[in-house]
Amino acid sequence: PAVKQQLIHLQIQFTDQKKDFNKRLTKTGRRSLSRSISQSSTDSYSSVCSDSSEDESSPRDKLQKNSKGLSDFCVKNIKQAEFGRREIEIAQQEMPALMVLRKRAGGEKPLAGAKVLGCTHITAQTAVLIETLSVLGAQCRWAACNIFSTQNAVAAALAEQGTSVFAWRGESEDDFWWCIDQCVGAEIWQPNMILDDGGDLTHWIYKKHPSLFKKLKGIVEESVTGIYRLYQLSKAGKLCVPAMNVNDSVTKQKFDNLYCCKESIVDGLKRTTDVMFGGKQVVVCGYGEVGKGCCAALKALGAVVYVTEVDPICALQACMDGFRVIKLSEVIRQVDLVITCTGNKNVVGREHLDRMKNGCIVCNMGHSSTEIELASLRTAELRWERVRPHVDHVIWPDGKRIVLLAEGRLLNLSCSTVPSLVLSITATTQALALIELYSAPEGRYKQDVYLLPKKMDEFVASLHLPTFDAHLTELSDEQAKYLGISKHGPFKPNYYR
């Protein structure tokens, strides 16, 4: 009876609260309340997804000027600059090493005279890098390496500050190459450094403006796709300037590729699909650093994870980590989610897409948009339906549908944001690579692809340790002699894996 009385009391209490809530709703008006909720959610999300109420005309059709009268840029809306500046200031709090670089090297200006062409994701974190390069003495022109990852307000803030930036979220393929060509600015500018993410900028200069290579001191590249392109050029004897492979630096591979993807894969999937991962069957194509991060995150949430691999070493690692290594064709009928992270092309082909079950989610975490064979889906018998930003249903004649995210482009940067601290590590590595190539004496680097010196990798890591209040142990002279290394590093040989 006592329990029954307690339940009746709780029920009365709940009914009273409900009446009270309904009274408040009537006072404020249901419509205004729902509007304020949707408005606030739009505001908080606007740095990632453009507000649908924005002017839909192409930025190429409008002449915009910043407050100083400069118009050598093309962004969605220069009036968003103030909001973008706040985004950049938030990112700075989590990017300690770049701020230290500004303090330490700002007076010396190690990049004085450098004219840097950049083609990367244009986010608040990249903006901190671009503005750091400017503090170090460089002049910068920038374009986006992905049509969906640009934060419009951040691009506006960069333009307002005086950086010639050509990018907006949702560019067409034609816009993408137009922006890169405007960024190159061959008629008005002679660059001497390139910072590329994916190799598109380097490829465009080779194709359209090969004469610009005469004065280039070097290329810094940070993606698997771009590095593959550079090694191809080198092998064919067509690489005419030194290039720094930042992608395979320890501070890029182990942090950006592994830890960043581990946290951001779930963020991107949750924001777009609201999917629950517990008990879901997932196949991750590729068990490199990106694949390892994705698998770890999904396994931790209770998903059943399968892995596909071509490399026996990576495959063995996946087995040791408790994942079943299979061929995609073996599990494609039963999985709920397919994630590609190989850097290759046509990993998920039409034959796989045809056999997927209804509602299967398909996305890509590799840099290139070639991993899912999208051309095979753009046919007359299949219907595309836009559900929400970056979410398409592709519907088969029998009513089966798959959920395609970001049109097969990079999921985390297209559909969510990525942790600033991890990007601080990558961006500092990029900045040091630019400084190294720019200030290197004649002859140190030949026309080849180089890894960043191990000492620099260690320096980047050490700049981030104070954030965690971490204290390094110092080797004694005797210990250093025993190991055959300097007590100040490098602590590992270049061949160490």
Side-chain angles (χ1 to χ4, degrees):
V3 174
K4 195 174 179 183
Q5 266 185 326
Q6 208 174 353
L7 282 170
I8 291 165
H9 175 67
L10 280 171
Q11 205 171 355
I12 292 165
Q13 208 178 358
F14 177 69
T15 310
D16 288 345
Q17 283 174 351
K18 199 171 171 184
K19 280 179 187 168
D20 187 41
F21 178 70
N22 285 336
K23 265 186 208 164
R24 287 207 307 275
L25 257 187
T26 313
K27 275 184 190 170
T28 56
R30 288 170 193 269
R31 188 175 296 173
S32 64
L33 179 68
S34 65
R35 195 198 172 285
S36 67
I37 291 168
S38 62
Q39 187 60 43
S40 64
S41 62
T42 305
D43 290 345
S44 64
Y45 198 54
S46 59
S47 63
V48 180
C49 272
S50 298
D51 187 348
S52 57
S53 64
E54 264 189 13
D55 177 13
E56 289 303 314
S57 62
S58 170
R60 288 168 65 171
D61 301 333
K62 335 180 241 197
L63 178 67
Q64 299 182 77
K65 291 185 178 181
N66 70 7
S67 60
K68 298 177 189 77
L70 297 171
S71 59
D72 186 21
F73 63 86
C74 190
V75 299
K76 186 73 175 174
N77 186 355
I78 190 67
K79 291 174 185 169
Q80 293 181 332
E82 193 183 330
F83 182 75
R85 179 53 50 194
R86 293 201 296 272
E87 292 278 324
I88 295 168
E89 285 165 2
I90 291 168
Q92 284 176 351
Q93 303 302 313
E94 277 276 290
M95 304 186 80
L98 286 179
M99 307 317 284
V100 169
L101 268 191
R102 290 186 191 188
K103 280 180 192 163
R104 287 193 190 175
E108 299 166 28
K109 306 281 184 199
L111 288 175
K115 293 184 173 181
V116 182
L117 277 183
C119 182
T120 64
H121 301 282
I122 296 181
T123 61
Q125 294 81 13
T126 315
V128 179
L129 168 63
I130 295 168
E131 293 185 346
T132 299
L133 297 178
S134 299
V135 170
L136 301 182
Q139 282 181 276
C140 299
R141 292 177 74 85
W142 229 264
C145 69
N146 185 296
I147 63 172
F148 290 140
S149 63
T150 299
Q151 292 177 340
N152 285 335
V154 169
L158 283 167
E160 175 58 36
Q161 198 77 353
T163 302
S164 294
V165 57
F166 302 86
W168 58 92
R169 193 179 191 89
E171 297 167 3
S172 67
E173 196 73 20
D174 181 55
D175 290 336
F176 175 77
W177 293 111
W178 180 85
C179 284
I180 284 180
D181 201 50
Q182 294 299 305
C183 168
V184 172
E187 286 74 37
I188 56 169
W189 213 58
Q190 172 65 59
N192 52 26
M193 296 297 299
I194 288 175
L195 176 56
D196 212 351
D197 186 351
D200 288 322
L201 175 59
T202 306
H203 167 75
W204 185 258
I205 293 175
Y206 262 103
K207 191 176 160 188
K208 298 285 182 182
H209 309 287
S211 62
L212 292 182
F213 279 103
K214 288 174 190 167
K215 293 197 178 172
L216 273 183
K217 289 195 166 192
I219 300 166
V220 174
E221 171 59 58
E222 73 144 345
S223 78
V224 173
T225 311
I227 292 303
Y228 176 66
R229 284 171 157 183
L230 286 175
Y231 280 123
Q232 277 185 317
L233 284 170
S234 177
K235 203 174 173 182
K238 292 181 181 174
L239 186 64
C240 42
V241 291
M244 196 69 85
N245 171 0
V246 170
N247 179 70
D248 292 304
S249 298
V250 182
T251 40
K252 167 69 165 65
Q253 279 280 337
K254 294 292 177 190
F255 296 92
D256 196 331
N257 294 22
L258 177 64
Y259 298 114
C260 175
C261 294
K262 187 175 167 184
E263 293 202 18
S264 57
I265 173 74
V266 175
D267 191 13
L269 286 167
K270 289 281 190 192
R271 289 198 201 197
T272 47
T273 64
D274 309 308
V275 68
M276 176 116 181
F277 293 105
K280 289 287 193 298
Q281 297 202 46
V282 181
V283 61
V284 175
C285 303
Y287 201 68
E289 298 300 331
V290 174
K292 287 178 174 70
C294 293
C295 287
L298 296 166
K299 183 182 181 180
L301 290 169
V304 179
V305 183
Y306 301 97
V307 169
T308 71
E309 248 307 337
V310 295
D311 182 334
I313 297 173
C314 291
L316 187 57
Q317 284 179 309
C319 293
M320 294 290 188
D321 288 335
F323 300 110
R324 177 91 191 280
V325 178
I326 42 79
K327 289 184 178 177
L328 189 55
S329 55
E330 293 171 40
V331 289
I332 199 65
R333 284 192 188 280
Q334 70 198 59
V335 292
D336 303 291
L337 174 60
V338 179
I339 302 167
T340 57
C341 24
T342 66
N344 206 336
K345 66 184 286 190
N346 299 344
V347 177
V348 177
R350 178 63 190 264
E351 69 276 15
H352 303 115
L353 295 155
D354 281 339
R355 292 172 62 207
M356 285 175 186
K357 71 181 187 184
N358 185 44
C360 184
I361 299 166
V362 186
C363 65
N364 169 46
M365 281 290 284
H367 176 85
S368 177
S369 58
T370 58
E371 304 206 25
I372 301 158
E373 197 184 6
L374 284 184
S376 71
L377 292 177
R378 299 193 186 279
T379 54
E381 82 273 16
L382 299 183
R383 188 159 56 86
W384 285 58
E385 196 176 79
R386 175 56 52 93
V387 185
R388 50 166 76 160
H390 306 304
V391 183
D392 289 297
H393 282 179
V394 183
I395 305 163
W396 268 250
D398 64 357
K400 179 196 99 166
R401 62 183 64 202
I402 64 162
V403 183
L404 178 66
L405 304 182
E407 295 179 35
R409 292 178 184 272
L410 200 53
L411 172 80
N412 55 356
L413 277 152
S414 298
C415 303
S416 64
T417 54
V418 292
S420 297
L421 186 72
V422 167
L423 287 185
S424 174
I425 297 167
T426 302
T428 309
T429 308
Q430 290 171 315
L432 290 177
L434 284 169
I435 292 168
E436 173 66 16
L437 277 180
Y438 181 69
S439 56
E442 194 77 38
R444 178 185 289 177
Y445 295 105
K446 301 189 168 48
Q447 294 169 351
D448 207 348
V449 185
Y450 293 86
L451 282 170
L452 195 69
K454 185 74 73 177
K455 186 82 177 153
M456 285 199 183
D457 260 337
E458 291 174 357
F459 176 59
V460 172
S462 70
L463 287 176
H464 289 86
L465 289 176
T467 306
F468 303 98
D469 195 24
H471 305 273
L472 283 174
T473 303
E474 194 173 305
L475 292 173
S476 67
D477 292 336
E478 188 185 354
Q479 287 172 321
K481 190 178 176 184
Y482 179 76
L483 291 174
I485 60 175
S486 160
K487 64 194 295 183
H488 304 295
F491 296 95
K492 301 284 188 295
N494 272 330
Y495 57 78
Y496 178 81
R497 288 288 174 270

